[in-house]
């Protein structure tokens, strides 16, 4: 192709000059002028790219696009800490299976402490006690779909109901996380619980809710109440055991009875947070099972 | 026709062209269609008098490098035949190059020297074939389709290096068409669900994998794995899917789609131990499509 290109450009220049004396008509098309320009450039794919204006436009467009991408990336990084989020999604199938089992049956698990590796907590992949965001996000989306399914079986379904369910569940989640943050602030607890951790812990109850709704669909109201109370109990125990290590002081966390108003207050706070979970679980599911 | 123009430098095959057919079969130079129409009319009337420049310079051109999918006329027609009859039909795309066409149209003089230096054919020579320009590679498309259709076979990680949206677009349209055959006009839903689903899976994969993934790659993979869903919706044309058989068929197809998609994602992004984790959101997405098909 290239040798032809060279020959073509050589042949083009004489062609442009020879065209004039032999023409019967005036060549008023843009092609003749363009050919003069095009002679200096190799024939690109598509004639319009041979025009210099077009090449400027392409370059400008590319810079615009890359600039736009940079702006989007910067702004997203400002609002959503992407690298921090990546930690919460570093999961694998074994972890998810074990964690789901733990959420539904936390009674036998002994060691609830998150392992650390030089001041940073280990990724969820390597420690079952570390919180993750994969399970809460997937459980939230599955909850919405199962709610739609449940409403559909009762002939109460319409697509906007899905949006209604989704926004109400999201709103309750935000309220709960804000309330927990406020109470943690008021009790002046020195803890390394971040907001994302709280979102993760609050999201774990959706797993129990899904189990409850599915059993309600399959086995009716008795099945719903049975399994929902089991899930409420297990999430209560799970939250208490997890939060105890984070909120209470070291001594109290290990089970040593430490008297003091501060520790008592923290214990009450932990129990209040844990007790919120079954409440929300019932509130968000009872209208779906008839 | 008049004497063939043969004394040109580098001419390897001469054609006397007389356009009869204003349509363009291979779509090779679709952009020149309107110009060709004008030229064909013009040429018809002036064929004997004006030997137009574009009449000849047709050597073997791009046909030698066009590949199988452009050879609709068979190569023998294009290899240096002379068509002396005035009403010989010659494929239009031999004659055109968008670049210099614009000029040629107004220069009907017979000019052998000009013809010998005419440049459009050279640029036409150097122009890559249309499908290559568009980035459509039928072989790769077929390979990717086969990978999807066989969810057990492990996938090659490099097939998703080029994000190709032709196959996915074809499958989306096929899904919409089969839904249409079943009486449901849901094109908007198909596009909306695919767009939102692609965004969600793109965000999730970027968070879960160490190497990021581009939006085009996600859209391409998800589109290719939509093929079994097209099978499901074509079944829906013949019998209603509500019922045990329909539900189990839908569940099998959902599993098939999500397994293929997760298999390709895993191999392309080198994520170990996360296939089921990737398959679950894909299953949710394809479940939405199945809902659309079944109900």
């Amino acid at each position: 192709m290239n040798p032809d290109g060279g020959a073509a450009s050589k042949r083009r220049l004489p062609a442009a000059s020879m065209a004039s004396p032999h023409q019967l008509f005036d060549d008023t098309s843009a092609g003749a002028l363009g050919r003069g320009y095009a002679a200096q450039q190799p024939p690109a794919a598509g004639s319009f790219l041979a025009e210099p204006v077009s090449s400027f436009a392409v370059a400008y467009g590319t810079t615009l696009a890359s600039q736009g991408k940079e702006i989007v990336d910067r702004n997203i990084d400002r609002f959503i800490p992407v690298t921090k989020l990546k930690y919460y999604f570093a999961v694998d199938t074994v972890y998810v299976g074990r964690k789901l089992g733990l959420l539904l049956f936390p009674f036998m698990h002994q060691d609830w402490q998150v392992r650390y590796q030089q001041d940073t907590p280990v990724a969820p992949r390597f420690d079952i006690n570390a919180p993750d965001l994969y399970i809460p996000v997937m459980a939230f989306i599955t909850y919405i779909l199962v709610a739609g399914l449940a409403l559909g079986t009762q002939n109460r379904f319409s697509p906007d109901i899905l949006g209604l369910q989704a926004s109400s569940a999201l709103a309750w989640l935000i309220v709960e996380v804000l309330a927990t943050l406020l109470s943690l602030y008021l009790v002046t607890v020195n803890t390394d619980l971040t907001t994302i951790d709280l979102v993760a812990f609050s999201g774990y109850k959706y797993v129990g809710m899904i189990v409850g709704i599915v059993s309600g669909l399959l086995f009716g109201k008795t099945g719903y109440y049975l399994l929902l109370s089991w899930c409420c109990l297990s999430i209560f125990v799970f939250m208490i055991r997890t939060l105890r290590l984070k909120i209470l002081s070291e001594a109290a966390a290990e089970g040593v009875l430490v008297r003091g108003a501060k520790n008592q207050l923290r214990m009450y706070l932990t129990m209040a947070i844990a007790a919120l979970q079954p409440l929300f679980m019932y509130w968000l599911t009872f209208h779906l099972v008839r | 026709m008049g004497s063939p123009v043969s004394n040109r430098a580098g001419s390897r095959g001469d054609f006397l062209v007389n356009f009869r057919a204003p349509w363009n079969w291979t779509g090779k130079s679709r952009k020149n269609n309107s110009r060709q129409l004008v030229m064909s009319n013009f040429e018809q009337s002036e064929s004997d008098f004006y030997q137009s420049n574009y009449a000849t310079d047709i050597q073997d051109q791009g046909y030698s490098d066009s590949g199988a999918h452009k050879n609709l006329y068979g190569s023998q027609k294009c290899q240096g035949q002379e068509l002396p009859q005035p009403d010989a039909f010659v494929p239009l795309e031999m004659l055109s190059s968008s670049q210099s066409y614009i000029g040629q149209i107004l220069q009907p003089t017979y000019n052998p020297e000009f013809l010998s230096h005419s440049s459009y054919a050279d640029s036409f020579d150097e122009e890559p074939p249309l499908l290559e320009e568009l980035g459509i590679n039928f072989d790769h498309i077929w390979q990717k389709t086969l990978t999807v259709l066989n969810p057990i076979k492990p996938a090659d990680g490099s097939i998703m290096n080029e994000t190709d949206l032709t196959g996915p677009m074809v499958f989306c349209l096929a899904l919409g068409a089969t839904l249409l055959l079943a009486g449901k006009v849901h094109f908007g839903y198909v596009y909306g669900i695919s767009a939102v689903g692609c965004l969600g899976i793109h965000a999730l994969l970027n968070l879960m994998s160490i190497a990021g993934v581009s939006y085009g790659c996600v859209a391409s993979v998800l589109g290719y794995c939509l093929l079994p869903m097209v099978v499901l919706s074509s079944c829906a044309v013949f019998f209603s899917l509500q019922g045990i058989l329909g539900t189990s068929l839908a569940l099998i197809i959902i599993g098939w789609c999500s397994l293929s998609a997760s298999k390709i994602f895993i191999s392309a992004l080198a994520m170990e131990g996360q296939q089921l984790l990737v398959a679950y959101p894909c299953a949710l997405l394809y479940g939405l499509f199945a809902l659309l098909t079944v109900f």
Side-chain angles (χ1 to χ4, degrees):
Chain A
M1 260 193 74
N2 282 332
D4 286 345
S9 40
K10 281 197 221 113
R11 269 182 264 170
R12 269 202 189 121
L13 286 168
S17 56
M18 283 190 60
S20 10
H22 300 273
Q23 275 179 351
L24 276 187
F25 309 123
D26 274 323
D27 189 353
T28 53
S29 67
L33 294 168
R35 246 178 292 128
Y37 289 108
Q40 282 98 32
Q41 297 168 13
S47 65
F48 69 95
L49 283 180
E51 309 283 338
V53 180
S54 309
S55 59
F56 288 149
V58 165
Y60 185 61
T62 331
T63 33
L64 260 187
S66 56
Q67 268 176 5
K69 191 172 181 302
E70 264 176 64
I71 291 179
V72 166
D73 281 340
R74 251 204 324 258
N75 283 337
I76 280 194
D77 229 7
R78 221 190 305 164
F79 295 119
I80 310 174
V82 178
T83 31
K84 272 196 243 164
L85 275 184
K86 274 202 171 185
Y87 162 80
Y88 291 96
F89 280 96
V91 294
D92 62 351
T93 321
V94 173
Y95 168 84
V96 169
R98 286 213 197 125
K99 192 81 177 199
L100 286 177
L102 195 64
L103 282 169
L104 295 173
F105 195 79
F107 308 107
M108 306 294 283
H109 190 72
Q110 302 296 333
D111 177 24
W112 294 83
Q113 178 67 267
V114 179
R115 283 203 298 272
Y116 277 78
Q117 187 191 23
Q118 291 145 4
D119 270 354
T120 54
V122 163
R125 205 182 255 253
F126 306 114
D127 182 17
I128 195 179
N129 294 318
D132 74 308
L133 273 182
Y134 176 85
I135 294 180
V137 168
M138 288 299 130
F140 185 77
I141 299 179
T142 315
Y143 160 73
I144 298 171
L145 291 178
V146 169
L149 187 68
L151 288 173
T153 54
Q154 298 160 27
N155 291 327
R156 283 192 291 158
F157 180 77
S158 74
D160 30 318
I161 288 216
L162 273 187
L164 207 65
Q165 284 286 325
S167 29
S168 80
L170 196 63
W172 280 117
L173 181 77
I174 295 177
V175 161
E176 182 186 348
V177 170
L178 285 178
T180 314
L181 276 174
L182 180 69
S183 47
L184 281 175
Y185 170 75
L186 286 178
V187 178
T188 60
V189 174
N190 274 336
T191 174
D192 56 353
L193 271 181
T194 62
T195 320
I196 308 185
D197 279 338
L198 287 176
V199 171
F201 288 133
S202 306
Y204 281 138
K205 62 173 169 299
Y206 287 106
V207 177
M209 283 157 73
I210 294 168
V211 171
I213 300 178
V214 168
S215 64
L217 285 175
L218 291 175
F219 306 121
K221 279 223 137 178
T222 24
Y224 165 70
Y225 279 124
L226 268 176
L227 275 169
L228 192 72
S229 29
W230 173 264
C231 293
C232 288
L233 185 64
S234 35
I235 202 85
F236 183 74
V237 171
F238 177 87
M239 289 296 278
I240 292 230
R241 290 207 180 155
T242 315
L243 288 179
R244 194 174 57 162
L245 290 169
K246 303 246 177 194
I247 298 184
L248 295 183
S249 69
E250 299 286 336
E254 280 162 27
V256 178
L257 279 175
V258 177
R259 291 259 168 227
K262 223 179 177 188
N263 266 333
Q264 223 171 15
L265 196 56
R266 290 182 189 185
M267 193 65 207
Y268 287 152
L269 176 64
T270 318
M271 295 195 65
I273 297 176
L276 263 185
Q277 312 294 315
L279 268 179
F280 276 127
M281 282 170 75
Y282 180 70
W283 180 257
L284 288 171
T285 51
F286 77 99
H287 59 277
L288 294 172
V289 180
R290 289 286 164 86
Chain B
M1 287 287 283
S3 58
V5 183
S6 53
N7 305 327
R8 283 168 297 106
S11 72
R12 279 160 285 172
D14 301 335
F15 297 89
L16 275 182
V17 203
N18 194 348
F19 326 112
R20 276 300 174 87
W23 62 86
N24 187 335
W25 283 19
T26 62
K28 190 166 184 355
S29 312
R30 256 197 303 272
K31 41 195 169 181
N32 303 318
N33 246 345
S34 49
R35 292 190 209 106
Q36 286 165 359
L37 273 174
V38 176
M39 284 180 48
S40 67
N41 295 338
F42 180 78
E43 183 58 13
Q44 293 280 340
S45 49
E46 326 282 350
S47 55
D48 281 321
F49 186 66
Y50 296 124
Q51 197 64 254
S52 165
N53 310 325
Y54 43 73
T56 46
D57 228 350
I58 303 136
Q59 299 140 18
D60 15 351
Q61 313 213 331
Y63 279 92
S64 47
D65 51 335
S66 20
H69 48 268
K70 285 181 268 307
N71 239 343
L72 285 185
Y73 298 103
S75 42
Q76 55 271 25
K77 249 196 202 176
C78 318
Q79 305 295 338
Q81 287 176 12
E82 266 189 31
L83 305 167
Q85 298 90 357
D87 47 355
F89 169 69
V90 175
L92 278 177
E93 61 272 22
M94 290 198 221
L95 317 168
S96 57
S97 143
S98 51
Q99 206 156 353
S100 2
Y101 234 25
I102 314 169
Q104 304 299 341
I105 227 177
L106 301 172
Q107 298 162 12
T109 51
Y110 178 79
N111 190 344
E113 292 140 329
F114 190 98
L115 284 172
S116 64
H117 297 290
S118 85
S119 50
Y120 67 86
D122 301 325
S123 63
F124 180 70
D125 260 342
E126 291 134 18
E127 236 182 55
L130 180 70
L131 285 180
E132 191 182 302
E133 253 181 69
L134 289 177
I136 303 175
N137 185 336
F138 280 126
D139 191 40
H140 277 206
I141 293 181
W142 183 240
Q143 257 182 2
K144 290 183 197 173
T145 313
L146 283 179
T147 316
V148 167
L149 286 178
N150 190 354
I152 321 281
K153 191 172 74 150
D156 178 23
S158 62
I159 60 173
M160 279 302 154
N161 274 346
E162 17 160 81
T163 74
D164 145 48
L165 286 176
T166 323
M169 282 311 297
V170 166
F171 294 149
C172 278
L173 286 173
L175 182 67
T178 41
L179 283 177
L180 195 65
L181 281 179
K184 310 172 192 167
V185 191
H186 286 326
F187 283 97
Y189 282 122
V190 168
Y191 293 143
I193 296 177
S194 8
V196 171
C198 283
L199 273 175
I201 304 254
H202 164 78
L204 184 72
L205 281 180
N206 269 334
L207 287 171
M208 273 180 74
S209 70
I210 305 169
V213 59
S214 73
Y215 185 77
C217 177
V218 173
S220 171
V221 174
L222 288 178
Y224 271 107
C225 297
L226 202 55
L227 181 60
M229 200 54 62
V230 176
V231 171
L232 180 72
S233 66
S234 44
C235 288
V237 176
F238 299 112
F239 59 92
S240 162
L241 290 176
Q242 312 196 14
I244 298 288
L245 176 64
T247 315
S248 47
L249 187 65
L251 285 174
I252 294 176
I253 298 267
I254 293 175
W256 183 3
C257 290
S258 38
L259 269 180
S260 304
S262 60
K263 176 190 68 167
I264 300 182
F265 278 132
I266 296 288
S267 56
L269 297 174
M271 306 159 63
E272 338 89 32
Q274 288 176 325
Q275 176 157 8
L276 281 182
L277 299 187
V278 175
Y280 184 67
C282 296
L284 288 181
L285 176 66
Y286 290 121
L288 278 179
F289 280 113
L291 271 180
L292 209 59
T293 311
V294 170
F295 293 109

